[in-house]
C-alpha cells in the first residue's frame, strides 16, 4: 500500500491545504486556473509545503499533457526529448503541455539554457520547484520568463486540518479509533512540513498495530526517539539535531559538530538555516574570545548564497571546525541579557545632559551637551566621564571572561576605569 503522505495527496485545489495567498479565492494562481491559461512559474519554498502537489493539480485541472524531469538524473538530451514530445502533443488553441522540474536549482546552466526557447515560444509551460533561492540558482534569462511564487511553511491551523483529515478520511486510519489528546510535539517535529506530519502520524499508527491510539506529546517523543529515521526521509529530528550541533560546537568537539552537520545535510535541512545557526553560535559561544569566528561564520553564510549547494557544505564545514576549536566566551551574550534585565527593572532613565546633542539654541540653553569631554582631545583617546544614567553609574553589565583575547580587553578597561572594573 502507498505511504500515508501519498494517499493523502490532494487532487484538487479545494482539497489543497495552505498557501491561501496563491490558491485562495481571488488569488493569482486560482484566477489563472479558472481562466484555463497559465504562464510558466517557479515555486520556491521549504520541503513538504505542497510544491509538487500544486503542479499536479494544475495539470489535472487544465487537462493537458504533464511531463516530469528529475534535475538529479536528467541531462540536456532528456530536456530536448521532452520538448519534442510536447511539440507533438500541442494542439491549436489549447493550453501548452506542462513540464514539471523538481529541484530545478540542481539543473546546470546548459540544462537551463536548453529550456529557454521552448518556454519563450510557449511550446511548454514550465513549472519548477525549488527549496533554494532562485535568484542564485536559476539563470537570469529563464527566471525572467517565469513568475516566481513563494510558498510558506504550513501554519498550525493548516497542520491540524491535515491531521484531522488524515485521521477521518484515510482508508486505513479511518478504521482505527484515534484520539488526539495533545498536538504540541507532533506540530513541533513537523516544522511546517506536511510530509513530516503525515510520516509521524503513520509511524504512530503502525506502532499501535491497528488498536486504539491516543496521541500525546510523550508518545510522539518516545516513538521518534525509538525510530529516529521514521518521520523524516533524511532522518533528522529537526530541533534535537540542531541542539546537538550547537552544543557540540560550544563543547569544543569538532568531530561531533561535523557529524551533526552531516546529519542535517543528509536530512535535507535548509543550508541557510544551518548557516544562520553557525553565525549565532559564533556570536553567542565564541564571542570576544575569538572575534574572527563571527567574521568567518558570516563569510560562510555569504559563500552558501553565492556558490549554492552541494558545494556550500565545504565553507560551512570550515566554519564549524573553526568555531568548535576556538576558545569560548559568552560574555557579550550575558552582557546584553543583563542589560535588558536592568532596563526592565529601572525603566526609561533619562540620558545625562552632557551626552545629549544640542542642535538648537534652546537645547544649548537648557544645558544639553554642556560639559561633554571629546575623548579624541585627550591622551590615548580616553577620559573618564559618566555615560550611564544617573543612579546607574556603578552598575556593571559586561564582565570579562579570561581567555587570552578577552584578557587584553579587560586590562584596557581596568587601565581606563580603574576600581570600577576590578572584579
Amino acid at each position: 500500500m502507498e505511504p500515508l503522505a501519498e494517499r493523502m495527496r490532494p487532487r484538487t485545489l479545494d482539497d489543497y491545504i495552505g498557501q491561501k495567498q496563491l490558491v485562495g479565492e481571488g488569488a493569482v494562481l486560482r484566477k489563472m486556473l479558472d481562466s484555463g491559461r497559465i504562464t510558466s512559474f517557479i515555486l520556491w519554498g521549504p520541503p513538504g509545503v505542497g510544491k509538487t502537489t500544486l503542479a499536479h493539480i494544475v495539470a489535472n485541472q487544465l487537462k493537458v499533457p504533464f511531463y516530469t524531469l528529475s534535475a538529479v538524473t536528467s541531462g540536456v538530451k532528456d530536456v530536448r526529448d521532452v520538448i519534442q514530445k510536447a511539440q507533438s502533443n500541442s494542439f491549436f488553441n489549447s493550453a501548452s503541455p506542462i513540464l514539471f522540474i523538481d529541484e530545478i536549482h540542481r539543473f546546470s546552466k546548459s540544462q537551463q539554457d536548453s529550456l529557454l526557447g521552448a518556454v519563450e515560444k510557449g511550446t511548454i509551460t514550465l513549472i519548477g520547484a525549488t527549496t533554494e533561492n532562485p535568484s542564485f540558482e536559476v539563470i537570469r534569462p529563464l527566471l525572467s520568463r517565469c513568475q516566481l511564487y513563494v510558498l510558506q511553511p504550513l501554519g498550525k491551523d493548516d497542520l491540524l486540518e491535515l491531521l484531522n483529515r488524515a485521521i477521518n478520511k484515510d482508508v486505513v486510519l479511518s478504521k482505527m479509533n484515534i484520539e488526539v489528546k495533545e498536538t504540541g510535539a507532533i506540530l513541533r517535529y513537523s516544522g511546517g512540513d506536511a510530509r513530516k506530519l503525515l510520516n509521524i502520524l503513520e509511524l504512530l499508527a503502525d506502532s499501535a498495530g491497528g488498536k486504539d491510539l491516543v496521541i500525546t506529546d510523550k508518545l510522539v517523543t518516545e516513538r521518534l526517539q525509538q525510530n529516529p529515521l521514521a518521520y523524516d526521509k533524511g532522518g533528522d529530528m529537526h530541533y534535537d539535531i540542531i541542539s546537538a550541533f550547537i552544543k557540540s560546537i560550544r563543547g569544543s568537539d569538532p568531530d561531533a559538530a561535523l557529524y551533526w552537520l552531516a546529519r542535517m545535510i543528509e536530512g535535507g535541512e535548509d543550508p541557510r538555516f544551518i548557516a544562520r545557526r553557525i553565525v549565532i553560535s559564533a556570536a553567542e559561544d565564541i564571542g570576544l574570545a575569538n572575534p574572527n569566528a563571527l567574521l568567518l561564520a558570516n563569510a560562510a553564510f555569504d559563500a552558501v548564497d553565492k556558490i549554492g549547494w552541494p558545494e556550500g557544505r565545504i565553507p560551512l564545514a570550515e566554519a564549524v571546525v573553526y568555531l568548535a576549536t576556538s576558545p569560548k566566551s559568552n560574555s557579550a551574550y550575558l552582557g546584553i541579557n543583563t542589560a535588558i534585565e536592568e532596563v526592565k527593572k529601572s525603566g526609561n532613565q533619562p540620558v545625562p545632559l552632557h551626552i545629549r546633542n544640542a542642535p538648537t539654541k534652546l537645547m544649548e540653553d537648557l544645558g544639553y551637551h554642556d560639559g561633554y569631554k571629546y575623548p579624541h582631545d585627550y591622551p590615548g583617546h580616553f577620559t573618564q566621564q559618566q555615560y550611564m544614567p544617573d543612579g546607574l553609574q556603578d552598575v556593571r553589565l559586561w564582565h570579562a571572561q579570561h581567555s587570552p583575547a578577552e584578557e587584553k580587553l579587560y586590562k584596557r578597561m581596568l587601565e581606563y576605569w580603574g576600581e570600577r572594573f576590578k572584579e
Side-chain angles (χ1 to χ4, degrees):
M1 181 175 286
E2 291 179 320
L4 175 60
E6 192 58 38
R7 299 198 303 268
M8 291 303 299
R9 187 183 292 277
R11 303 294 188 261
T12 68
L13 278 186
D14 291 334
D15 292 331
Y16 189 84
I17 294 176
Q19 315 308 331
K20 299 301 182 188
Q21 77 281 8
L22 297 179
V23 300
E25 291 299 328
V28 57
L29 265 180
R30 185 177 284 270
K31 279 185 175 179
M32 284 201 298
L33 282 175
D34 290 343
S35 73
R37 293 277 182 176
I38 63 167
T39 59
S40 293
F41 60 85
I42 294 175
L43 300 170
W44 173 28
V49 297
K51 298 186 293 293
T52 302
T53 297
L54 192 52
H56 281 279
I57 289 174
V58 168
N60 289 339
Q61 185 157 331
L62 294 180
K63 296 181 172 56
V64 296
F66 185 78
Y67 304 98
T68 64
L69 285 177
S70 166
V72 178
T73 60
S74 303
V76 172
K77 183 179 183 300
D78 298 301
V79 174
R80 289 174 178 158
D81 287 346
V82 166
I83 291 173
Q84 190 172 3
K85 288 179 185 177
Q87 285 175 322
S88 63
N89 280 321
S90 293
F91 299 98
F92 179 72
N93 208 29
S94 66
S96 301
I98 289 174
L99 171 58
F100 175 67
I101 302 177
D102 198 11
E103 297 186 285
I104 194 171
H105 60 275
R106 293 181 181 268
F107 253 19
S108 67
K109 182 181 183 299
S110 61
Q111 289 170 306
Q112 294 184 39
D113 281 335
S114 65
L115 292 166
L116 286 175
V119 172
E120 190 163 24
K121 293 174 185 175
T123 304
I124 59 168
T125 297
L126 173 66
I127 301 179
T130 177
T131 57
E132 306 295 328
N133 188 334
S135 300
F136 303 115
E137 311 297 342
V138 178
I139 60 174
R140 186 169 297 175
L142 184 58
L143 194 58
S144 69
R145 289 164 172 80
C146 300
Q147 297 294 319
L148 175 63
Y149 299 125
V150 180
L151 280 70
Q152 303 296 335
L154 297 187
K156 176 182 177 181
D157 292 341
D158 295 328
L159 291 172
L160 290 177
E161 181 182 348
L162 178 61
L163 180 65
N164 291 327
R165 184 181 296 181
I167 290 172
N168 294 310
K169 294 187 176 181
D170 177 66
V171 64
V172 175
L173 301 187
S174 60
K175 297 175 182 176
M176 297 176 59
N177 183 20
I178 300 177
E179 178 188 355
V180 180
K181 200 168 184 181
E182 296 173 323
T183 59
I186 196 168
L187 293 178
R188 185 173 71 252
Y189 284 118
S190 298
D193 185 326
R195 188 184 303 109
K196 285 183 181 179
L197 180 130
L198 293 173
N199 286 346
I200 296 172
L201 180 58
E202 188 168 35
L203 166 67
L204 298 175
D206 289 345
S207 66
K211 299 177 182 178
D212 292 352
L213 172 63
V214 178
I215 298 178
T216 64
D217 292 346
K218 181 180 178 183
L219 177 69
V220 170
T221 302
E222 288 176 350
R223 291 292 182 266
L224 292 181
Q225 287 175 346
Q226 293 166 6
N227 301 270
L229 302 180
Y231 85 103
D232 181 355
K233 64 179 181 180
D236 283 344
M237 297 173 69
H238 179 83
Y239 293 96
D240 290 342
I241 297 292
I242 194 63
S243 174
F245 174 63
I246 294 300
K247 287 180 172 65
S248 298
I249 293 176
R250 184 181 297 145
S252 300
D253 188 335
D255 295 328
L258 284 174
Y259 171 80
W260 296 119
L261 174 64
R263 282 283 298 272
M264 288 189 287
I265 290 171
E266 286 301 297
E269 185 61 81
D270 180 356
R272 287 163 186 79
F273 171 78
I274 301 173
R276 283 194 297 271
R277 300 301 306 190
I278 290 173
V279 171
I280 294 168
S281 175
E284 179 179 342
D285 294 316
I286 290 83
L288 295 171
N290 182 5
N292 285 331
L294 184 56
L295 299 177
L296 188 66
N298 265 310
F301 198 143
D302 290 342
V304 169
D305 272 342
K306 289 174 182 174
I307 68 177
W309 208 244
E311 290 81 1
R313 75 191 188 283
I314 303 167
L316 288 183
E318 180 182 350
V320 164
V321 172
Y322 187 78
L323 266 60
T325 55
S326 287
K328 305 297 187 294
S329 169
N330 66 343
S331 70
Y333 170 77
L334 294 177
I336 187 58
N337 288 347
T338 304
I340 289 171
E341 288 304 311
E342 178 59 47
V343 168
K344 290 178 180 177
K345 181 177 71 175
S346 57
N348 295 326
Q349 296 294 318
V351 176
L353 287 176
H354 68 284
I355 57 173
R356 299 187 195 187
N357 283 332
T360 69
K361 180 71 167 56
L362 174 61
M363 290 179 172
E364 190 175 330
D365 291 342
L366 290 173
Y368 284 41
H369 202 67
D370 185 27
Y372 173 64
K373 299 175 184 177
Y374 187 55
H376 297 300
D377 289 341
Y378 294 84
H381 304 272
F382 174 81
T383 184
Q384 289 193 14
Q385 64 185 322
Q386 179 184 331
Y387 294 99
M388 289 285 275
D390 292 340
L392 299 180
Q393 300 97 314
D394 298 323
V395 171
R396 288 289 312 283
L397 301 176
W398 176 69
H399 296 271
Q401 296 174 358
H402 301 300
S403 62
E406 211 159 339
E407 281 281 1
K408 293 180 181 178
L409 305 180
Y410 173 68
K411 286 178 180 176
R412 182 180 298 133
M413 293 300 99
L414 199 59
E415 179 184 335
Y416 285 170
W417 294 101
E419 288 294 327
R420 178 182 159 197
F421 264 79
K422 281 189 176 178
E423 297 290 353

